Amino acid sequence: MRSPEPADFEPWAAFCADEEAARYLGGAQDRIGAWRIMSTMAGAWMSRGFSMFSVVEKSTGRWVGRLGPWQPEGWPGTEVGWGLSRDAWGKGYATEGAEAAIDWAFKTLGWTEVIHTIEAANVNSQKVAERLGSRILRQAVLPAPINVAVDCWGQSREEWLARKR
């Protein structure tokens, strides 16, 4: 995992255009929408000091998704989220990457809680959250322009550290 780079844009745009991969991430986006999303996440590194990482497959060097800490203005908590291109699904990247990102968020950012905002129909992300030891903490509605009801899965720093022992 690393911060987004300009060379990530082509695979990022393909990911955003994929109806199934983007289903629970605000829906498919054209190249302009993909540019805005990638630029927002890259800009969050400057304005907040953290944001989602680009996920790069070790064996190929290929960009396969974005994952990590996320808390834009109005967000319902300190999130570690994930979104991977479909050809990377089922390989454990979401779980492995989220574990590393959660460790980093608690250690480096000093977070006391981590959440994962997941729509009720998104069974695959619920399974990742369960593998991480998370549970539903509360419900929320994501801020405009998203305006989607979600379950906030998550856990406290203490729960995470106890699980890791």
Side-chain angles (χ1 to χ4, degrees), residues 31-96:
R31 290 178 62 81
I32 293 168
W35 176 256
R36 285 186 185 123
I37 294 167
M38 183 177 155
S39 295
T40 296
M41 290 191 180
W45 278 102
M46 296 292 294
S47 64
R48 297 255 180 176
F50 65 89
S51 186
M52 292 202 179
F53 299 97
S54 281
V55 179
V56 178
E57 193 172 54
K58 287 180 186 176
S59 62
T60 65
R62 180 175 68 95
W63 185 96
V64 295
R66 87 291 184 280
L67 177 152
W70 185 237
Q71 191 186 22
E73 189 62 30
W75 214 247
T78 47
E79 177 166 24
V80 166
W82 49 84
L84 300 172
S85 52
R86 273 196 286 167
D87 60 351
W89 290 3
K91 297 182 178 181
Y93 296 160
T95 304
E96 178 184 355

Side-chain angles (χ1 to χ4, degrees), residues 11-35:
W12 195 305
F15 163 73
C16 286
D18 183 322
E19 294 279 341
E20 187 61 22
R23 182 177 186 184
Y24 299 111
L25 302 173
Q29 300 287 320
D30 61 13
R31 290 178 62 81
I32 293 168
W35 176 256

Side-chain angles (χ1 to χ4, degrees), residues 78-80 82 113-120 122-123 125-139 150-155:
T78 47
E79 177 166 24
V80 166
W82 49 84
E113 178 184 71
V114 67
I115 65 166
H116 323 291
T117 57
I118 303 173
E119 289 183 48
N122 189 347
V123 175
S125 280
Q126 292 169 15
K127 289 178 183 175
V128 172
E130 288 173 346
R131 283 193 290 277
L132 295 169
S134 293
R135 65 190 187 293
I136 297 174
L137 302 175
R138 57 189 174 272
Q139 281 73 44
V150 293
D151 293 323
C152 294
W153 291 70
Q155 59 193 291

